[in-house]
Amino acid sequence: MSTPFSPLMAVIYEAISAILLFWHAVWHKVLGSASWLATNWSWVLGIIFLVITVRAILFPVFVKQIKSQRAMQALQPRVKTLQEKHKGDRETLQQELMKLYREEKVNPLMGCLPMLVQIPVFFGLFHVLRHLTPTMPEAKRTLYGWTLGQFNDASHAKLFGAPIAASFHSSPHELSLLGANGTTVKVAAAILIAAMIATTFLTSRQMILKTGWAEDPQQRMVQRLMLYGIPFSLLISGYVFPIGVVTYWVTQNLFSLGQQMWVLRKYPSPSPTGV
């Protein structure tokens, strides 16, 4: 059954496919069809440069996120004063906080914006890679701007011997259609999932180390969720993620670590605190 969001998601699928196919074409011209270390590098590099493209587009938003966090941090003493003044009167407290944020032109939601923007991108790539299965009817293989040749090539593309369309939980039947060894897929997926969890934790920890823990209990709870909850959830969800999606996530985290380091140095905390 279609939903009101189907047309929007179709646009996202086509946009993700267009970027991925563009970078694959670029790297295919450079590297050809050669495969080294049991890896089809033109497709793997296509995923990596998809990350770089998305992060480059979102870079201005990321800078605004850091500036917003700095502004929120500078307002913490005034926020704490309001919390003490209106203790027990939650409605008045919220009104006063909103008034303060308007006066200082601070948007508390800006800190979550880059992540919210990337969620459709992530699910778009997840859908596109899950679409790359040899059991897909031929009529659907050319969806989102793909040709039959591109579909067949990508559906068998491998990273260290594991198809990028396979996942840790892929069935023996699916693996046989992909021409993959089950042990190889599980080992590659397990290593990538571990890397995904570790880099997700390090990315959140890096931000908190630089900005400090929030004074507001709700914001602190969100920080703890980001630091511990999300990495833990990836232990479960990573089980079903295609290897290409996990590769995207790990690459994004590594890129974020470098990007955050540069931006946080450029916009230092007004009152740095440790964790």
Side-chain angles (χ1 to χ4, degrees):
M1 182 181 295
S2 62
T3 69
F5 299 101
S6 296
L8 174 61
M9 292 309 298
V11 171
I12 292 173
Y13 300 152
E14 290 178 2
I16 295 299
S17 294
I19 297 172
L20 177 58
L21 292 172
F22 169 79
W23 284 116
H24 166 258
V26 170
W27 286 108
H28 184 72
K29 286 185 178 180
V30 175
L31 303 174
S33 301
S35 175
W36 306 310
L37 300 175
T39 299
N40 301 100
W41 289 105
S42 59
W43 284 109
V44 173
L45 288 170
I47 293 173
I48 291 172
F49 275 76
L50 168 63
V51 174
I52 295 173
T53 301
V54 172
R55 296 297 299 193
I57 293 171
L58 292 179
F59 184 73
V61 178
F62 180 73
V63 172
K64 288 183 178 180
Q65 174 197 21
I66 298 298
K67 289 182 176 180
S68 177
Q69 289 175 337
R70 293 292 185 254
M72 287 292 294
Q73 191 174 1
L75 288 177
Q76 282 306 306
R78 295 171 66 182
V79 170
K80 193 171 183 179
T81 299
L82 288 173
Q83 289 172 338
E84 293 174 353
K85 180 180 179 181
H86 301 289
K87 189 176 182 179
D89 188 351
R90 189 173 184 82
E91 184 177 348
T92 302
L93 173 60
Q94 290 299 321
Q95 291 174 352
E96 290 298 318
L97 286 175
M98 290 300 102
K99 180 180 177 182
L100 174 63
Y101 295 150
R102 283 196 302 270
E103 290 174 351
E104 299 297 330
K105 298 180 180 179
V106 173
N107 185 354
L109 299 178
M110 182 58 70
C112 302
L113 186 57
M115 177 182 292
L116 294 176
V117 172
Q118 289 182 78
I119 288 175
V121 177
F122 171 78
F123 280 109
L125 181 64
F126 180 86
H127 176 84
V128 169
L129 291 182
R130 290 284 291 174
H131 186 74
L132 298 174
T133 170
T135 59
M136 185 65 60
E138 188 167 314
K140 294 186 177 181
R141 298 185 180 191
T142 54
L143 292 175
Y144 318 130
W146 291 70
T147 66
L148 281 175
Q150 290 169 335
F151 180 95
N152 294 330
D153 190 35
S155 64
H156 289 85
K158 293 180 172 63
L159 174 62
F160 303 126
I164 61 174
S167 66
F168 192 95
H169 91 304
S170 291
S171 68
H173 177 63
E174 291 172 327
L175 294 175
S176 66
L177 290 174
L178 292 169
N181 177 277
T183 301
T184 300
V185 170
K186 282 180 169 53
V187 170
I191 293 172
L192 284 168
I193 290 169
M196 176 174 65
I197 293 170
T199 53
T200 299
F201 173 81
L202 291 173
T203 302
S204 297
R205 181 174 180 271
Q206 180 191 55
M207 182 67 76
I208 294 174
L209 282 171
K210 292 294 184 180
T211 61
W213 288 99
E215 294 289 340
D216 181 71
Q218 290 185 340
Q219 292 181 9
R220 184 180 287 252
M221 184 174 65
V222 171
Q223 286 179 318
R224 290 192 182 279
L225 175 64
M226 297 287 292
L227 186 61
Y228 301 112
I230 292 180
F232 179 77
S233 71
L234 294 176
L235 183 63
I236 301 171
S237 55
Y239 179 76
V240 299
F241 287 168
I243 284 174
V245 171
V246 183
T247 301
Y248 173 93
W249 195 304
V250 173
T251 304
Q252 175 178 271
N253 286 342
L254 293 173
F255 193 88
S256 294
L257 283 168
Q259 189 180 65
Q260 284 182 179
M261 184 179 297
W262 182 84
V263 173
L264 290 169
R265 284 180 179 178
K266 186 173 178 65
Y267 302 99
S269 173
S271 55
T273 58
V275 179

